[in-house]
Amino acid sequence: MDCIYCKKVALYAGSLMLKNGAETFRVEEIMKYIMQASGYEEVDAFVTPTGIFLSIGDDSSSGTYIKRISERSINLSKIDKVNTVSRKLCAGEISIEKAYFLFKQIDLEPPYRLIVKLLASALTAAFFSLLFKGSFPEFTATFTVNILMQLILSLLNKYNISFFLTNLSGGAISAFLSILIMKMGFPIDSNIVIISSIMTLVPGVAITNSIRDTFHGDLLSGVARMAEAVFIAMAIAGGVGIVLNFTF
Amino acid sequence: MFKDFIIALLACICFSIVFDVPKKYLFLSGFGGALAWISYLICLNITDSTILSCFIGAVSVGLFGEIAAIYKKAPVPLFIIPGIITLVPGANMYYSMFYIIKGDFQSASIQGSQTLLLAGAIASGLIVITSIFKVVKRGTQNHKIKKKIMDNKKVKCD
């Protein structure tokens, strides 16, 4: 098989996984497997959260390729699907052309619809208010606050605003709305409402991935993702703090 | 307790939708989160230590995630990421900010250090499971390779 084509498929699969929030070692392994499945034994992949390096060292066709990843989101469904396709490719069940076609299909696949995601996020927050010893008024208040916050954040996301500002405004909006609802005279505990509605913003993915990366020996990615988690947490706390500062 | 389990299950299933977990895994990843929350509550009842309980919760969700991943042949984060959310110390983070604004720095530092310790507890809980499973997986792989070599030898002998 043509080296250029294989490298294209491997880089495509790798960038697809990294963009959607896979761990570093998984991306590296998948690119290596794809190259090895098409007969290139001396392959090295080096992945950081912001870029991919792929080097092929066989005598006839050597070279190093770089792919820069600038946008990152989380879509666990795509990770699962790319994983399945590359498993099949390595087992020899499908050809590399078919795999490339499938990867393209996975890339174009739409996520859950925005309205479904908004409702899911709002329901998550609302159920959390029950776990934090709230009752029905808090449940409804959290639902409203979170759905409004996520709506505003999804509008902000269209303009490619940095993650720090998005999380800052998320914290600020949820604190503002909760306090507004309380001041309007509804019998709610604003603390519970704020805590539950920021639960959907907290950096669970960054924490999990940074731990998994660090313990696979990918120290660079582990530290980078840990820094991301810390910054997100700081942004949320800062956003809430700004609003609380004005109301006390 | 049962009510809590159901609420945590629903919360985690909804949270999995936010992260686009495929429909066939929604229930499993929600179940992991509910398991984490329940083991957290049980441990809290027995030991009265939030940090230890958080550690136990992280261990249970990690264990569940690894086993589910092997069973379903899917990547581990699919089950751990939505599951971990019930344990993340959002409340402590909020209260430390709250006390800073109020000017009560003693309470703020207590809550702040609690946040860091809880995050550390989650991290170490996941680490324990991840490293155990890494050893187990390597063991099974070595076994498979040895078996392959043995089979090859047998063929040659025949």
Side-chain angles (χ1 to χ4, degrees):
Chain A
M1 184 48 67
D2 181 14
C3 172
I4 305 285
Y5 186 75
C6 292
K7 147 241 141 184
K8 199 165 100 182
V9 178
L11 277 181
Y12 193 73
S15 67
L16 196 57
M17 289 210 98
L18 195 59
K19 257 190 228 163
N20 291 305
E23 316 102 297
T24 303
F25 70 90
R26 195 180 299 282
V27 180
E28 285 176 358
E29 270 176 10
I30 273 197
M31 294 205 302
K32 262 192 204 172
Y33 286 153
I34 290 175
M35 292 308 288
Q36 281 167 359
S38 27
Y40 296 95
E41 282 301 323
E42 270 185 53
V43 180
D44 257 316
F46 177 71
V47 174
T48 73
T50 49
I52 296 175
F53 303 78
L54 178 70
S55 157
I56 300 154
D58 282 331
D59 294 336
S60 55
S61 52
S62 59
T64 303
Y65 306 94
I66 298 177
K67 177 103 181 159
R68 178 79 170 88
I69 307 294
S70 46
E71 282 176 35
R72 268 168 299 141
S73 60
I74 296 144
N75 187 330
L76 297 175
S77 154
K78 285 185 182 174
I79 297 178
D80 176 45
K81 280 174 184 158
V82 173
N83 207 37
T84 319
V85 170
S86 59
R87 253 173 210 270
K88 278 186 189 163
L89 180 66
C90 294
E93 290 172 23
I94 52 175
S95 69
I96 194 152
E97 289 90 355
K98 173 84 176 161
Y100 188 49
F101 174 72
L102 286 175
F103 288 144
K104 282 222 151 153
Q105 236 177 14
I106 293 168
D107 196 10
L108 293 176
E109 213 165 74
Y112 286 113
R113 267 182 296 164
L114 183 64
I115 181 77
V116 176
K117 276 198 178 182
L118 286 181
L119 279 176
S121 153
L123 276 176
T124 313
F127 285 125
F128 266 110
S129 73
L130 294 182
L131 287 184
F132 293 138
K133 315 237 160 22
S135 52
F136 188 69
E138 279 91 9
F139 184 87
T140 37
T142 313
F143 187 86
T144 331
V145 169
N146 193 277
I147 208 165
L148 284 173
M149 177 190 79
Q150 293 288 355
L151 196 65
I152 297 172
L153 289 196
S154 63
L155 290 180
L156 282 180
N157 271 338
K158 277 188 186 159
Y159 297 104
N160 269 342
I161 296 171
S162 79
F163 73 96
F164 191 84
L165 265 182
T166 341
N167 285 304
L168 188 88
S169 42
I173 292 163
S174 48
F176 176 75
L177 288 176
S178 315
I179 289 168
L180 190 74
I181 290 176
M182 194 185 69
K183 289 267 153 93
M184 275 158 66
F186 289 96
I188 57 164
D189 183 346
S190 69
N191 292 339
I192 292 179
V193 177
I194 297 175
I195 295 167
S196 346
S197 67
I198 59 175
M199 275 315 256
T200 53
L201 295 175
V202 291
V205 181
I207 294 176
T208 322
N209 276 348
S210 92
I211 295 161
R212 291 181 67 79
D213 276 352
T214 313
F215 269 74
H216 267 270
D218 301 317
L219 299 177
L220 198 62
S221 317
V223 172
R225 288 194 211 257
M226 189 51 87
E228 191 187 0
V230 170
F231 275 114
I232 292 175
M234 270 166 53
I236 299 170
V240 173
I242 291 167
V243 174
L244 286 185
N245 201 9
F246 281 118
T247 48
F248 277 108
Chain B
M1 195 68 100
F2 183 69
K3 199 181 123 200
D4 267 19
F5 184 81
I6 296 296
I7 293 170
L9 182 70
L10 289 174
C12 289
I13 288 177
C14 290
F15 198 61
S16 323
I17 294 174
V18 178
F19 285 150
D20 285 280
V21 172
K23 277 185 195 120
K24 51 184 171 178
Y25 300 139
L26 278 183
F27 181 75
L28 268 182
S29 52
F31 191 80
L35 202 67
W37 182 250
I38 280 300
S39 40
Y40 170 81
L41 281 185
I42 291 172
C43 190
L44 196 63
N45 264 339
I46 297 169
T47 62
D48 210 30
S49 147
T50 40
I51 294 165
L52 183 65
S53 318
C54 217
F55 176 78
I56 298 293
V59 165
S60 58
V61 69
L63 196 63
F64 175 80
E66 296 275 356
I67 292 171
I70 294 171
Y71 180 63
K72 288 277 178 190
K73 285 192 178 138
V76 183
L78 230 61
F79 305 103
I80 290 185
I81 287 173
I84 212 78
I85 183 73
T86 47
L87 301 172
V88 179
N92 300 79
M93 195 176 85
Y94 168 74
Y95 278 118
S96 65
M97 204 65 207
F98 181 80
Y99 287 125
I100 287 174
I101 303 292
K102 270 193 161 180
D104 183 354
F105 288 104
Q106 203 180 353
S107 306
S109 63
I110 292 172
Q111 291 289 346
S113 52
Q114 193 82 0
T115 311
L116 290 181
L117 286 173
L118 288 177
I122 297 174
S124 41
L126 288 179
I127 283 164
V128 169
I129 296 299
T130 314
S131 28
I132 289 174
F133 268 80
K134 218 180 149 188
V135 175
V136 172
K137 270 180 199 162
R138 196 178 292 154
T140 49
Q141 265 172 9
N142 283 348
H143 183 72
K144 271 180 195 166
I145 291 168
K146 267 183 197 166
K147 215 179 161 190
K148 234 180 188 177
I149 295 170
M150 293 298 278
D151 287 350
N152 283 348
K153 271 185 187 168
K154 265 183 204 166
V155 172
K156 273 176 194 167
C157 290
D158 290 341

